[in-house]
């Protein structure tokens, strides 16, 4: 990053200085000079641009480093109050939407029915309306929104933001999600400017949110979401691993012997999701006369201590645990987190039974198998963080400062 540690002749940009401050690696002018090799005057010029943009502020004085005493160094802080992010997490039958601070705090939130099978035009139009209302509730205006993050239950090409052949999102394949959501927000929020929209898979964003919030030092983190479908998010060295076109983590469509006669929503037989998802458990409960139509119905039955639901959830956990033995052996994660509608004691017990039975002891010796810490907010937190990290990446900071004229 610096003239000392980076490429010969490279001089750290304003964006790179902001990254040093945000990460806590250098939070005074002197520390920035030392980290980058820049002169005092050049550091001052770079910081002046960040102050004029409203992205930096001065904090309290730090300790005096010199044994001769003197004035304490003024610390520098990222000003996380200068903008807000809009975030939404779509499931098959409902959606959560929120206004999120740049520090990841939920400022206003709404959860309600929104059926993904109604199609992208209707669903994204309704999300735009909810965003408008939430901004009013949070006491913020449309021009304060710097970006929108959206989690969807399907594979996403992160370069285009388009959903790619999603098994449980009919009508969404290849749709311009970014453009439609940006227009819907502008329609329902007076004074809204053009804002970037970032889209990613829900399990990816849940994993990103959970890893950053609760396991920041874990260099290999896996989250498995088991709701109406099954998906996994993988975070390696602090970054979401997506594969070459967004298909990484789609473990719900791994073939399993128990599912040879089970038809999956993707059109194939034998997928893990067809026999072990919340939707699969709901179907089996309905077959024995227990009213259940989705993973959320199963969640409610589990919360009420329904014995048949608990037994089927444990069986589903064993089937997922069998597949996760391979995942754990391949990735060697430090944390395996179970999330979603089925993430309770019966399912987790089943996962552990088969995981520890089938995986090599070497692969599980330092593995923590846990449940979600952020709960139903994980996708929102991850979506907000995705937007913030995108907008304040060093290379993008320079573009945005130029656009602001500073």
């Amino acid at each position: 990053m610096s003239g000392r540690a980076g490429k010969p002749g490279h001089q750290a940009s304003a964006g790179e200085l902001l990254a040093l401050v945000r990460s806590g690696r250098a939070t005074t002018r002197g520390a920035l000079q030392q980290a980058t090799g820049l002169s005092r005057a050049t550091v001052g010029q770079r910081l002046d641009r960040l102050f004029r943009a409203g992205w930096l502020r001065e904090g309290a004085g730090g300790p005096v480093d010199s044994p001769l005493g003197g004035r304490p160094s003024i610390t520098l802080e990222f000003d996380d109050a200068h903008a807000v992010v809009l975030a939404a997490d779509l499931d098959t039958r409902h959606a959560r939407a929120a206004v999120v601070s740049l520090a990841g705090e939920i400022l206003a939130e709404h959860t309600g029915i929104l059926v993904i099978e109604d199609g992208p035009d209707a669903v994204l139009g309704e999300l735009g309306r909810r965003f408008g209302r939430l901004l009013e509730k949070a006491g913020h205006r449309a021009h304060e929104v710097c970006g929108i993050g959206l989690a969807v239950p399907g594979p996403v090409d992160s370069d285009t933001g388009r959903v790619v052949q999603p098994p449980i999102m009919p009508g969404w394949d290849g749709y311009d999600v970014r453009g439609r959501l940006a227009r819907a927000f502008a329609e329902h929020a007076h004074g809204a400017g053009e804002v970037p929209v970032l889209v990613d898979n829900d399990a990816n964003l849940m994993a990103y949110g959970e890893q950053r919030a609760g396991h920041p030092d874990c260099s290999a983190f896996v989250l498995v979401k088991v709701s109406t479908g099954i998906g996994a998010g993988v975070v390696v060295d602090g970054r979401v691993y997506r594969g070459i076109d967004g298909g990484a983590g789609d473990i719900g469509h791994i073939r399993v012997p128990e599912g040879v006669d089970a038809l999956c929503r993707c059109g194939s037989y034998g997928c893990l999701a067809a026999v072990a998802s919340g939707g699969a458990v709901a179907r089996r409960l309905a077959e024995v006369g227990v009213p259940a139509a989705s993973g959320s119905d199963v969640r409610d039955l589990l919360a009420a201590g329904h014995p048949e639901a608990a037994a089927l959830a444990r069986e589903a956990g064993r089937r997922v645990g069998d597949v996760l033995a391979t995942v754990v052996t391949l990735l060697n994660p430090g944390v395996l987190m179970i999330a979603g509608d089925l993430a309770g004691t019966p399912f987790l017990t089943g996962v552990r039974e088969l995981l520890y039975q089938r995986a090599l002891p070497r692969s599980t010796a330092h593995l923590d198998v846990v449940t979600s810490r952020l709960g139903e907010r994980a996708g929102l937190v991850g979506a907000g963080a995705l937007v913030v990290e995108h907008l304040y990446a060093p290379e993008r900071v320079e573009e945005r400062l130029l656009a602001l004229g500073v």
Side-chain angles (χ1 to χ4, degrees), residues 130-165:
R130 293 183 187 182
F131 280 151
R133 291 184 174 181
L134 280 169
L135 273 175
E136 291 183 16
K137 181 179 177 182
H140 286 275
R141 297 183 178 180
H143 72 267
E144 296 177 78
V145 175
C146 63
I148 300 173
L150 176 65
V152 298
V156 176
D157 183 332
S158 59
D159 289 336
T160 65
R162 294 176 187 260
V163 184
V164 182
Q165 299 177 3

Side-chain angles (χ1 to χ4, degrees), residues 68-290:
L68 300 177
R71 290 165 52 183
S73 300
I74 299 297
T75 60
L76 303 169
E77 300 173 351
F78 179 60
D79 188 345
D80 54 27
H82 73 266
V84 294
V85 173
L86 298 175
D89 185 3
L90 293 181
D91 211 328
T92 53
R93 298 176 61 84
H94 69 275
R96 303 179 76 87
V99 180
V100 186
S101 77
L102 299 184
E105 180 187 358
I106 305 291
L107 304 176
E109 184 178 5
H110 176 271
T111 302
I113 294 173
L114 197 55
V115 180
I116 210 160
E117 290 186 353
D118 288 346
D121 188 62
V123 169
L124 298 173
E126 173 60 18
L127 266 187
R129 187 183 68 82
R130 293 183 187 182
F131 280 151
R133 291 184 174 181
L134 280 169
L135 273 175
E136 291 183 16
K137 181 179 177 182
H140 286 275
R141 297 183 178 180
H143 72 267
E144 296 177 78
V145 175
C146 63
I148 300 173
L150 176 65
V152 298
V156 176
D157 183 332
S158 59
D159 289 336
T160 65
R162 294 176 187 260
V163 184
V164 182
Q165 299 177 3
I168 60 175
M169 299 176 69
W172 290 72
D173 184 24
Y175 187 85
D176 181 16
V177 175
R178 289 176 177 172
R180 177 66 181 108
L181 187 53
R183 290 192 302 274
F185 170 57
E187 290 166 8
H188 295 283
H190 178 69
E194 186 175 338
V195 296
V197 177
L198 274 66
V199 187
D200 207 339
N201 171 262
D202 55 357
N204 283 350
L205 292 181
M206 290 173 70
Y208 193 47
E210 293 278 10
Q211 188 268 340
R212 289 169 60 87
H215 306 273
D217 297 326
C218 181
S219 60
F221 178 96
V222 175
L223 178 142
V224 179
K225 179 187 178 184
V226 187
S227 291
T228 298
I230 300 175
V234 180
V235 180
V236 177
D237 292 333
R239 299 174 66 89
V240 175
Y241 178 76
R242 299 182 176 88
I244 60 170
D245 62 3
D250 202 3
I251 66 169
H253 300 286
I254 293 174
R255 305 293 175 82
V256 293
E258 302 93 332
V260 65
D261 297 322
L263 177 62
C264 183
R265 295 183 68 171
C266 73
S268 298
Y269 285 87
C271 295
L272 179 65
V275 296
S277 65
V281 172
R283 285 192 297 274
R284 292 188 63 184
L285 286 168
E287 288 169 2
V288 296
V290 179

